Amino acid sequence: MTFENPVVLWSKPEAERAGTPLLVLFHGHLANEEDLMGLTDYLPAEFTIASVRAPQAMGPGYTWFPLTADADYSVEAVVDSVSAVSNWLDGIRTGHSSVSMLGFSMGMAVATSLLRHRPRDFAAVVGLSGFVVPSQDHAFFSDGELAERKVPFFWGRDQADPVIDAARIEYTHAWLNTHTALTKILYSNMGHGINMQELGHVKEFLTHTVLRGARTS
C-alpha cells in the first residue's frame, strides 16, 4: 500500500500551520476527504485540521479496510492500513504542538487503532457513530500501555443507530471504558450521522482537553 502522499484537505495554508494543534479527520466507509471538512466551522479555530482520504477506492468513494462482515476482512488488513497512516503522520506531526483525531463510523476504527498503536502520540480522540475493532492479540496494539495512560476520548452516537450493530457497540463500550478517559453522550433522532448539539459538545471537549490542557501543562 502506498500512503506516502495521501490526498489531504487542510483548513489552514501551510504557512499558518507551524506550532498549532493538529486535528486529523478520518471519514467513513465509501466517503472521501471532503465528507467531514464541513465540520471545520464548528470546531475550535486554533486547530489545523487535516481531512485524509482512505487508500482504497470502492464504489462512490473510498474505504480504509474491508467491512468487518466481509469475507476478506482481517485484523491484518486493519493493521496494514493504519500502519500506512501512522507512517504518514510521523512525517507531519513534528510541526504541531499536539495531535488529536476525529473519526466518523469506520474512521473511528482507524482513529482508535492509531491510538492503540501509539498511545503516547495523541492528546485526545473523538469518535462519532463508530466502533473499535477487536485486536485478536495482534502485537500492533499496545492496549496495556493505553489503559495506563487513559487518553481523553469523546464518543457520541444515537442509541438507535441503524448501521453499527449491537455486538460492536457492546464491545466498543467495554473497550473504551477500560482503556480511555471516556466521555460518552447519546443523541436521539440522529441516526448514523452527526448533529449540531453533538458538534457543540465536541468543540467543548477539544477546547477543554487539548487547548486548555496545553495552557496549564
Side-chain angles (χ1 to χ4, degrees):
M1 177 184 298
T2 56
F3 203 78
E4 291 85 358
N5 296 296
V7 175
V8 182
L9 293 179
W10 295 88
S11 65
K12 299 181 189 294
E14 189 170 0
E16 298 177 12
R17 299 174 198 164
T20 60
L22 176 65
L23 179 65
V24 185
L25 309 184
F26 299 111
H27 64 75
H29 181 60
L30 303 185
N32 62 37
E33 70 283 2
E34 297 178 358
D35 188 55
L36 298 179
M37 281 304 285
L39 307 183
T40 301
D41 291 342
Y42 305 98
L43 299 172
E46 292 90 336
F47 281 90
T48 291
I49 296 173
S51 186
V52 188
R53 177 190 291 179
Q56 301 171 27
M58 180 178 287
Y62 299 84
T63 192
W64 298 97
F65 48 82
L67 292 173
T68 53
D70 290 350
D72 56 347
Y73 170 82
S74 67
V75 173
E76 200 62 50
V78 176
V79 169
D80 286 348
S81 179
V82 173
S83 294
V85 180
S86 182
N87 292 338
W88 167 75
L89 266 176
D90 283 344
I92 65 168
R93 68 169 59 252
T94 55
H96 296 276
S97 58
S98 66
V99 181
S100 300
M101 298 180 287
L102 183 155
F104 173 76
S105 195
M106 182 185 279
M108 177 176 160
V110 175
T112 50
S113 295
L114 280 164
L115 177 66
R116 299 163 81 176
H117 179 51
R118 297 271 193 86
R120 299 188 178 278
D121 283 6
F122 301 101
V125 181
V126 174
L128 306 179
S129 300
F131 59 96
V132 174
V133 297
S135 69
Q136 297 180 14
D137 296 324
H138 197 290
F140 184 80
F141 300 98
S142 300
D143 281 8
E145 182 182 353
L146 179 59
E148 293 178 2
R149 186 156 187 266
K150 296 284 189 180
V151 174
F153 198 106
F154 179 95
W155 185 31
R157 54 178 290 266
D158 185 338
Q159 196 154 0
D161 186 326
V163 173
I164 311 301
D165 60 74
R168 282 187 292 175
I169 290 299
E170 183 178 355
Y171 176 85
T172 298
H173 191 193
W175 185 90
L176 289 171
N177 269 327
T178 305
H179 295 88
T180 71
L182 178 62
T183 298
K184 182 190 75 169
I185 302 182
L186 298 174
Y187 300 91
S188 299
N189 304 313
M190 186 173 71
H192 190 65
I194 302 168
N195 66 21
M196 294 301 298
Q197 182 186 27
E198 184 176 40
L199 286 175
H201 291 152
V202 170
K203 184 175 183 178
E204 291 174 5
F205 172 81
L206 290 171
T207 298
H208 177 73
T209 59
V210 180
L211 301 182
R212 291 178 185 164
R215 287 195 291 266
T216 58
S217 62

